[in-house]
């Protein structure tokens, strides 16, 4: 018998966290964050990290386990999630994986295989020097030519992942996508629940969430990280942080930075939809037009059949 895992996916601001709490309360589950940025300490507001009081006493994993200057890969995420699924299952409780980082969630649930050889620091240094001299765009274009499948998974501004993919090709002669073989059948019995919402309504929620983040002190959070020297780390490339670096450098107004954040968040939500619809077998529930409580009740009822089968 495969271990049962509930996964709740969908775009930012759609209500995944709220649903995860309801599911955990109904079925005595424990929650694993599927957000690749909530692992970082001190990055709370910009990642929409759940507050202690919102957890309602339910154990949460994969939150605040790394400092902002520590690397954290998809392979690392996969290992952690596998470990926590085992821990929760041994308690006879259902693990609930919640998040919008599509590649990370998919890698954890379908056992991607990742290359494990050592880094070639000379190649890495050469590639990083190229970025310093010419910017990221020429390297990203090179990756698109060499490994279009992997390039499609990487944001053009994600320096670390672009360098990693090119390093693998230059040191092995093989593409990173050749290494990342997906096991088609999951080692788990997975129930994939997706929350969706009409675009205009979702975009309003995203814009409102950004306004609330600003009221809660997002700019102060980013400034603290900036003053500690966290500017080029993987963590600071996250939406919610990178948009404010030009403001802190005096290159943009605060209003321009906030508007860029809203725009990037809306675009990210669109990419999340596309990923989950194209890559994973998700059962979707439309929570538009105030139907969220009604749909949550249906989801909770639907899960009874899954968990008790």
């Amino acid at each position: 018998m495969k271990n049962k895992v509930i996964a709740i996916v969908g775009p930012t601001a759609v209500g995944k966290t709220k649903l995860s709490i309801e599911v955990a309360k109904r079925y005595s589950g424990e929650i694993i964050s599927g957000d690749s940025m909530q692992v970082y300490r001190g990055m709370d507001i910009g990642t929409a990290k759940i507050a202690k009081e919102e957890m309602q006493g339910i154990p949460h994993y994969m939150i605040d386990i790394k400092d902002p200057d520590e690397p954290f890969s998809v392979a690392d995420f996969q290992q952690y999630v596998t470990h926590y699924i085992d821990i929760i299952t041994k308690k006879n409780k259902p693990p609930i994986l919640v998040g919008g980082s599509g590649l990370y969630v998919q890698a954890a649930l379908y056992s991607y295989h990742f290359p494990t050889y050592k880094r070639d620091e000379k190649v890495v240094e050469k590639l990083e020097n190229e970025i310093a001299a010419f910017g990221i765009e020429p390297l990203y274009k090179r990756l698109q030519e060499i490994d279009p499948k992997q390039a499609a998974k990487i944001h053009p501004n994600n320096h670390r992942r672009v360098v990693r993919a090119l390093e693998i090709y230059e040191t092995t002669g093989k593409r990173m996508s050749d290494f990342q073989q997906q096991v088609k059948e999951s080692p788990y019995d997975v129930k994939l629940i997706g929350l969706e919402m009409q675009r205009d309504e979702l975009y309003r929620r995203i814009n409102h969430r950004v306004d609330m983040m600003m009221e809660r002190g997002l700019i102060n959070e980013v400034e603290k990280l900036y003053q500690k020297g966290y500017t080029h780390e993987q963590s600071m490339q996250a939406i919610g942080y990178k948009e404010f670096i030009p403001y802190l450098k005096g290159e943009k107004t605060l209003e321009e930075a906030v508007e860029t954040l809203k725009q990037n968040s809306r675009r990210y939500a669109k990419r999340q939809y596309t990923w989950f619809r194209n890559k994973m077998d998700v059962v979707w529930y439309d929570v538009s037009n105030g139907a969220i409580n009604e749909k949550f009740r249906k989801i909770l009822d639907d899960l009874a059949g899954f968990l008790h089968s």
Side-chain angles (χ1 to χ4, degrees), residues 82-141:
T82 301
H83 172 67
Y84 288 127
I85 287 175
D86 288 344
I87 286 175
I88 298 167
T89 301
K90 285 175 181 175
K91 298 179 184 179
N92 291 319
K93 294 174 177 283
I96 305 163
L97 180 62
V98 186
S101 301
L103 175 61
Y104 284 70
V105 171
Q106 189 179 27
L109 294 178
Y110 290 89
S111 298
Y112 268 40
H113 297 306
F114 296 97
T116 57
Y117 53 82
K118 290 184 178 181
R119 304 295 303 265
D120 188 321
E121 296 301 333
K122 288 185 179 179
V123 173
V124 172
E125 184 179 3
K126 177 179 74 73
L127 293 169
E128 289 178 346
N129 287 340
E130 287 186 46
I131 292 175
F134 307 110
I136 189 66
E137 188 175 351
L139 271 74
Y140 187 74
K141 285 183 177 178

Side-chain angles (χ1 to χ4, degrees), residues 17 28 34 36 45 64 67 69 72 74 98 100 113 158 166 207 210 213-214 227 231 269 282:
T17 298
S28 299
S36 61
I45 300 171
D64 293 338
D67 288 327
D69 59 348
F72 189 72
V74 183
V98 186
H113 297 306
N158 193 323
L166 288 172
N207 291 340
V210 171
M213 286 177 172
M214 293 303 296
Q227 288 174 350
T231 52
V282 179

Side-chain angles (χ1 to χ4, degrees), residues 36 74 78 100-107 110-115 140 143-144 147-163 165 168 175-183 234 268 271-272 274-275 278-280:
S36 61
V74 183
Q78 181 191 70
S101 301
L103 175 61
Y104 284 70
V105 171
Q106 189 179 27
Y110 290 89
S111 298
Y112 268 40
H113 297 306
F114 296 97
Y140 187 74
L143 179 61
Q144 286 179 310
D147 191 353
K149 187 182 292 186
Q150 190 64 26
K153 300 177 183 178
I154 300 174
H155 191 277
N157 290 333
N158 193 323
H159 294 198
R160 186 187 63 84
R161 291 186 64 197
V162 171
V163 167
I168 286 174
R175 298 171 298 184
M176 191 169 186
S177 58
D178 295 331
F179 285 101
Q180 292 185 349
Q181 300 171 1
Q182 181 187 352
V183 177
Q234 170 190 352
Y268 179 55
R271 292 198 302 273
Q272 287 174 301
T274 301
W275 178 278
N278 293 343
K279 302 283 188 179
M280 305 182 78

Side-chain angles (χ1 to χ4, degrees), residues 50 55 96 117 130 199 214 226-227 242 248 301 308:
I50 188 169
M55 293 181 182
I96 305 163
Y117 53 82
E130 287 186 46
R199 183 169 296 181
M214 293 303 296
Y226 181 76
Q227 288 174 350
K242 64 182 179 181
L248 294 173
D301 291 343
H308 298 145

